[in-house]
Amino acid sequence: MGLQGATSTPHLLWFFGIATCVKLLLIPSYHSTDFEVHRNWLALTHSLPLSQWYSDETSPWTLDYPPFFAYFEFFLSIFANLIDPQIVHLKKGLNYSSNTVVSFQRITVILSDLCMLYGVYRLTKDLDSKRRTLIWVLVVWSPMLMIVDHVHFQYNGFLLGFLFISLSYLEEGRDLMGGLFFAVLLCFKHLFAVAAPVYFVYLLRHYCCGGLVRGLRRLLAMGAVVTAVFAVAYAPFVYHGQIQQVLRRMFPFGRGLCHAYWAPNFWVFYIILDKLLAFFLRKFGFATPTPEASFTGGLVGDSSPFSILPQITPVTTFMIVLLALSPCLIKAWREPQPGMVTRWVAYAYTCGFLFGWHVHEKASLHFVIPLATIAVQNMDSARHYYLLSIVSCYSLFPLLFEVREYPIKVLLLLLYSIIMWLVFSAKFTDGEEAKATAPIKKEAGHVAAKKGGFLIRGIEKSYLVGLLVVEIWGQLLHSIFFGERLPFVPLMLISIYCGLGIVYSWIWQLRWIIRSPES
């Protein structure tokens, strides 16, 4: 396998090279406020002592990621200062957007994707050549990563690389290393902690087993490794008496339940239901409070309570996420199978996206990209990923709201849809399907691949056509019928319709996990 992996590595580099060419072409495109957020983090980590990193308020875009990401920004700031000192100037650099800073920050994202490249290589290196190549195509050419990281601007590919490395070690049975890299990931971005219960249960049952003495020794070893990682990250801030400030920045619960109305999760339906109930109750003469937030306001904070339905607290969302996770945790406890870890972790991030507190729409990357690595296992997984990736990518369209970026996002999604169809057709043309990981009992014509290539069902086709209807309404028909009135409706339709697709994915993943056999 080592020789086979070495001979196919050039293919991965070619895929990455082609993707890099597209990313370079996207450098002049629109970038969000996240671009200035990260520029400011370059400036404050370069200009201020470590003790002031999490207390500085020169810019409204304060540092709110864990320490490892702050150290990463400090490392990048060294090169930024050499290229253009104004990039890292705390005050003169505010809202600085010259071609130099744009190019520099864009290129740092492209180079940091090498971490994802290594992660996906390591995760797939023991697979057969055909399956490995298909997974590389699905991950490296993901339009979601193109849109979020290389247009909107973030470092998700870099972070997902650490997740892939962790999962690769777990699948190899090297649990200590898997736990170490997951701890490193959490010290880069704490939002990945949604999968921590899965890691805890799996490692406790799979690694800390084999009798009391051996189990206790391994538990202490794992605890020491994780503690060491967190100590490296947080000890300097403990020393400077800044740990409480760090935690306040990382967990800003005052931001409210939702980040945006159109983020397609469960709380979108909750918000819509509350507004519908309030509307009909007012029609029948009942006095109901009017919340301050509107569908175009973007945020739902503490100052904008729901009119009818109960208020939701962070503790409530935490308990709901744990409840949704419980079947997966039970499965991991009863039968800790290395081959199922990626599915369990992806399911955990799906639960966090659907039911979590203040979820960003971009968090769908946390489960969609890992699911790409298992999409070629069988026809049912391929169908699921095909639908989910299209829906999730489409749900990101509102991130790129300028007219000049419209052809970019449409072409990226259309090209990837074609690539997926070709990938899955190449895998399943002759009825080929992986047998080792097909736990759901097959029904004739339901899961098994059919001759003639990759096929999706009628209901899935109808749902995808519905996406086209939603887009035509938002881009054309709404303005014809309503003009400037009801401006929230197009985003609301995207929110609801894509939310249905994400809920379907959650149910599909849950069904797969529950029905997977225990060896």
Side-chain angles (χ1 to χ4, degrees):
M1 279 294 180
L3 179 60
Q4 185 183 31
T7 56
S8 60
T9 301
H11 296 151
L12 178 58
L13 296 178
W14 270 108
F15 298 149
F16 182 75
I18 294 170
T20 299
C21 291
V22 176
K23 295 169 187 177
L24 290 171
L25 292 173
L26 295 175
I27 285 178
S29 62
Y30 156 84
H31 54 78
S32 71
T33 54
D34 280 343
F35 183 88
E36 171 61 16
V37 169
H38 286 279
R39 191 220 54 81
N40 184 61
W41 293 358
L42 290 173
L44 69 87
T45 55
H46 184 84
S47 305
L48 298 175
L50 180 144
S51 59
Q52 298 179 31
W53 286 1
Y54 285 90
S55 57
D56 177 72
E57 295 183 352
T58 304
S59 165
W61 312 119
T62 53
L63 181 60
D64 58 4
Y65 272 28
F68 275 0
F69 204 95
Y71 303 151
F72 173 64
E73 294 279 6
F74 173 73
F75 172 74
L76 295 179
S77 74
I78 297 172
F79 302 97
N81 184 54
L82 295 174
I83 293 172
D84 185 351
Q86 189 171 343
I87 297 175
V88 294
H89 196 287
L90 196 59
K91 293 184 178 179
K92 291 183 180 179
L94 290 175
N95 299 311
Y96 185 46
S97 58
S98 70
N99 291 335
T100 304
V101 65
V102 170
S103 299
F104 173 77
Q105 290 193 235
R106 292 287 197 196
I107 290 172
T108 62
V109 178
I110 294 172
L111 292 177
S112 69
D113 280 348
L114 289 170
C115 182
M116 182 188 71
L117 192 72
Y118 174 71
V120 72
Y121 167 77
R122 203 178 191 291
L123 186 61
T124 60
K125 63 185 176 66
D126 293 327
L127 300 178
D128 63 84
S129 178
K130 185 176 183 179
R131 184 184 297 183
R132 182 172 60 245
T133 301
L134 297 181
I135 291 172
W136 290 348
V137 170
L138 294 177
V139 173
V140 175
W141 290 350
S142 168
M144 295 180 67
L145 286 171
M146 291 282 188
I147 289 173
V148 176
D149 283 6
H150 302 281
V151 181
H152 181 80
F153 193 84
Q154 279 193 345
Y155 290 88
N156 290 285
F158 171 65
L159 299 171
L160 286 167
F162 286 101
L163 179 63
F164 285 156
I165 294 170
S166 174
L167 292 173
S168 71
Y169 279 117
L170 294 185
E171 292 194 0
E172 290 175 2
R174 300 173 65 182
D175 294 340
L176 195 63
M177 290 296 293
L180 183 149
F181 274 95
F182 184 67
V184 169
L185 174 62
L186 296 187
C187 291
F188 270 101
K189 190 169 184 178
H190 52 303
L191 299 182
F192 282 92
V194 177
V198 174
Y199 269 82
F200 177 79
V201 172
Y202 174 79
L203 291 173
L204 187 63
R205 286 287 288 144
H206 190 262
Y207 181 70
C208 304
C209 58
L212 179 62
V213 175
R214 183 170 182 262
L216 182 59
R217 185 172 66 248
R218 288 193 162 198
L219 179 62
L220 291 174
M222 182 65 71
V225 167
V226 173
T227 301
V229 171
F230 277 82
V232 171
Y234 291 93
F237 299 95
V238 174
Y239 175 78
H240 289 290
Q242 289 289 304
I243 191 63
Q244 289 186 348
Q245 179 63 22
V246 173
L247 295 177
R248 277 196 294 268
R249 285 281 182 84
M250 287 171 54
F251 300 99
F253 292 123
R255 288 182 179 176
L257 172 64
C258 296
H259 175 255
Y261 277 119
W262 46 264
N265 63 11
F266 172 79
W267 301 116
V268 168
F269 300 102
Y270 194 85
I271 293 168
I272 300 300
L273 178 60
D274 179 80
K275 292 188 176 293
L276 288 175
L277 288 174
F279 173 79
F280 286 112
L281 287 175
R282 291 190 195 103
K283 286 292 184 181
F284 286 104
F286 293 92
T288 59
T290 303
E292 297 178 9
S294 70
F295 280 113
T296 57
L299 298 178
V300 181
D302 293 341
S303 61
S304 303
F306 295 104
S307 298
I308 307 298
L309 297 178
Q311 301 301 310
I312 304 298
T313 66
V315 174
T316 305
T317 60
F318 177 76
M319 297 304 296
I320 293 175
V321 170
L322 277 184
L323 181 63
L325 267 176
S326 58
C328 177
L329 299 179
I330 293 171
K331 202 74 174 183
W333 177 265
R334 294 177 61 180
E335 191 64 28
Q337 305 172 52
M340 288 292 292
V341 169
T342 300
R343 286 188 183 273
W344 292 338
V345 168
Y347 174 75
Y349 289 130
T350 307
C351 292
F353 182 85
L354 272 181
F355 306 112
W357 178 268
H358 194 73
V359 173
H360 287 232
E361 61 284 347
K362 301 176 286 291
S364 58
L365 283 165
H366 296 177
F367 57 91
V368 175
I369 303 302
L371 284 171
T373 66
I374 57 177
V376 296
Q377 288 183 352
N378 49 71
M379 179 69 88
D380 209 30
S381 295
R383 288 185 181 125
H384 167 252
Y385 180 76
Y386 187 82
L387 180 69
L388 174 65
S389 60
I390 292 176
V391 172
S392 298
C393 184
Y394 179 71
S395 73
L396 298 175
F397 272 25
L399 287 176
L400 310 184
F401 53 85
E402 292 189 357
V403 175
R404 66 174 184 168
E405 271 73 44
Y406 187 78
I408 294 175
K409 61 188 181 183
V410 171
L411 283 174
L412 285 173
L413 179 54
L414 287 177
L415 286 173
Y416 191 70
S417 300
I418 295 170
I419 289 171
M420 281 194 295
W421 193 276
L422 295 175
V423 163
F424 295 138
S425 294
K427 175 66 178 175
F428 302 111
T429 295
D430 299 320
E432 177 187 352
E433 182 166 3
K435 297 177 175 60
T437 53
I440 298 180
K441 195 173 183 179
K442 297 172 179 56
E443 302 167 5
H446 177 68
V447 175
K450 301 176 182 179
K451 291 184 178 180
F454 176 65
L455 300 172
I456 60 174
R457 304 181 187 92
I459 189 171
E460 294 161 344
K461 292 178 182 177
S462 300
Y463 179 83
L464 292 177
V465 170
L467 286 178
L468 182 61
V469 173
V470 170
E471 182 65 8
I472 292 174
W473 175 268
Q475 295 297 322
L476 181 64
L477 298 181
H478 182 83
S479 59
I480 293 175
F481 288 102
F482 294 100
E484 299 296 325
R485 292 178 295 136
L486 306 177
F488 59 85
V489 169
L491 288 181
M492 184 180 69
L493 288 177
I494 294 176
S495 173
I496 294 174
Y497 200 75
C498 291
L500 292 173
I502 301 297
V503 169
Y504 159 78
S505 172
W506 174 67
I507 294 172
W508 184 93
Q509 293 179 63
L510 178 60
R511 176 173 174 264
W512 185 283
I513 289 169
I514 291 175
R515 299 183 65 179
S516 61
E518 298 178 5
S519 58

